[in-house]
Each structure stands twice: as C-alpha cells, then as structure tokens.
Amino acid sequence: MQVLVIGSTRGTGRLLVDRLVADGHDVRAMIRDPEQADDRRAAGAAAVAGDLEGDLEDAMRGVDAIAFCAGSGSSTGPDATLRVDLLGAIRTIDLAVELGIGRYVMLSSMAADDPLRGSAAIRPYLAAKHAADRILLASGLDATIVRPGGLTHDDPTGRVEVGVPRLERRGSIPRADVAAVMARCLADSASIGASFELLSGDTPIDEAVAGLGD
Ligand SMILES: NC(=O)c1ccc[n+]([C@@H]2O[C@H](COP(=O)([O-])OP(=O)(O)OC[C@H]3O[C@@H](n4cnc5c(N)ncnc54)[C@H](OP(=O)(O)O)[C@@H]3O)[C@@H](O)[C@H]2O)c1
C-alpha cells in the first residue's frame, strides 16, 4: 500500500514512517523544507514537498492512504491551531475525496469527542480536532480516528488500552506505540469507521486493533 505520512519529520509521524517502511509499505513522507528530504529518504521513504498551508495536491495524488500526524504544536497560538490543525486537516480530507484516496487514518487527541472535557487552555485545540474529526467521519472515506492521551518519548511497550468511544481515565502513551497502532489500523480493516481513545495498557496492539471491529 502506498501511504502518505503528513507530519513525517518529527514526533509520532517520524516513527510511523519507520514502522510503515519496516512493514513493507511504499511510504511517501511529506516535507515542508527541501533540506529534510535526505533524512526522510535515509529512512526508506520517498520525500515529497507539501504544506498544510500551501500546495498539497502533488504530494497526495496517487497514494492509497493518508496518515495525518501533523500538528501546529502547543506553543504556536490559536491562529496556527486554526490554520494547521483545523483548516489544514480539512483540506487534506477534501482533497482525499476529490482525488479518490479511499483510506484515511487521523491522529487526533483524547477528549476531541467533547472539547469541554479539556481545560480552558486546551479547548480551542480540542475544538479544532473535534471539527476535523467530524468532517472526516462525514466524508465517506474509510476513516479511523486515533485519540491518544499525552504523548511521551518513552520506549514502546507494545501494549495499549483502547476506549470506544472514550476511556474513563487520563494518562499517557509513548509516541512509538501510537505509531504502531496507526500502522496496524492501516493494515486491519476492522478499524475502519472507528474512533477511539488510546493509552498505554495491557492489551497487545494487534489484538486491540482487531477488537475495534467487534
Ligand atoms: N503532544 C501531545 O501530548 C499530544 C496528545 C494527543 C494528540 N497529539 C497530536 O498528535 C500529533 C503529533 O504530535 P507529535 O508531538 O508527535 O508531533 P510534532 O513533534 O509536533 O510534529 C509535528 C509535525 O507536523 C508537521 N507540520 C507542522 N505544520 C505543518 C504544516 N503547515 N504542513 C505540513 N506539516 C506540518 C511538522 O513538520 P515540520 O518539520 O515541517 O515542522 C512535524 O512533522 C499532532 O496532531 C498533535 O496534535 C499530541
């Protein structure tokens, strides 16, 4: 499967590129800065130029699936949240429909189902994620929405807890485990149509993702 990873250079998306390449997928890594190309090629991906606030179509055309891992970051302010997390995400969804890309796995956030669950400071971000998720679910694409708790740089455990649609506790999860869950979702159609919260837990990732179809 040819997968475009949006947000491929850092954090979860960077780890997802590694995981998808290891799983034998044909991976396109979207980059904003041409100087990032060699690094992404060294990871085994094809580097393609694209920007959520600029041209996207060339990067997206021809792929089988989109994995959205981009984010404006917590220190960039509400305008960047609107431009990247909301409007940028919506543009990728609209283009995926237009270009006939069937599969879309979205990295969202815990509490995006109900932004008022979050603190006042984080509600604008959660509202952006909420709206993008709703638009994705209504798009007709084969969508999966992954909503992790706080992301860490810890080593992966390979074990998670999923809550459909939500978990009753807060917590964290290593980015590497989130990447592994997203890769598994791309490989397992049981996750199509699912929106779920995700934390570190006791269930092996393959089993947790397969259970989304129950
Ligand atoms: N931090 C948390 O605890 C947490 C919890 C739940 C969910 N999330 C969500 O998880 C996702 C990944 O977070 P992360 O911390 O692992 O990643 P990250 O380190 O914040 O990396 C963000 C990625 O997005 C890319 N990006 C930013 N603006 C872009 C634009 N205009 N066009 C294209 N790409 C752009 C960056 O590329 P450049 O190299 O070009 O900047 C980078 O690859 C985000 O959606 C975040 O909202 C985070």
Side-chain angles (χ1 to χ4, degrees):
M1 182 190 290
Q2 188 172 54
V3 184
L4 174 68
V5 179
I6 299 176
S8 73
T9 57
R10 292 187 276 121
T12 312
R14 184 178 181 87
L15 296 166
L16 180 60
V17 168
D18 293 342
R19 169 60 68 139
L20 292 173
V21 168
D23 288 350
H25 294 288
D26 182 0
V27 181
R28 272 193 209 175
M30 198 171 96
I31 55 168
R32 291 194 285 174
D33 179 349
E35 293 201 350
Q36 294 167 321
D38 285 348
D39 173 70
R40 298 297 67 212
R41 285 190 201 111
V48 291
D51 190 329
L52 292 167
E53 300 185 66
D55 185 43
L56 276 173
E57 195 166 329
D58 289 347
M60 290 180 63
R61 183 177 286 109
V63 299
D64 303 305
I66 302 292
F68 186 100
C69 304
S72 62
S74 55
S75 58
T76 49
D79 190 52
T81 301
L82 283 181
R83 288 186 280 109
V84 175
D85 303 294
L86 179 59
L87 301 176
I90 292 171
R91 286 184 64 221
T92 67
I93 296 162
D94 288 346
L95 264 174
V97 172
E98 196 178 312
L99 296 172
I101 301 166
R103 188 78 172 100
Y104 196 119
V105 176
M106 171 67 87
L107 177 48
S108 179
S109 172
M110 178 167 272
D113 65 322
D114 177 4
L116 299 184
R117 287 169 67 202
S119 65
I122 202 174
R123 282 177 188 170
Y125 162 77
L126 292 176
K129 288 300 217 182
H130 176 85
D133 290 358
R134 291 274 295 265
I135 289 165
L136 177 57
L137 286 176
S139 67
L141 297 170
D142 286 340
T144 304
I145 296 177
V146 182
R147 293 176 170 153
L151 301 178
T152 75
H153 292 289
D154 293 341
D155 290 339
T157 67
R159 289 176 180 267
V160 297
E161 181 181 4
V162 302
V164 183
R166 64 166 69 166
L167 290 165
E168 293 309 320
R169 67 183 178 97
R170 301 292 170 94
S172 62
I173 179 167
R175 283 174 171 83
D177 280 329
V178 177
V181 167
M182 292 183 75
R184 194 61 215 148
C185 286
L186 284 163
D188 189 340
S189 59
S191 69
I192 292 174
S195 303
F196 60 93
E197 292 190 341
L198 181 69
L199 292 173
S200 289
D202 297 325
T203 309
I205 285 171
D206 287 7
E207 194 182 309
V209 172
L212 292 169
D214 294 347

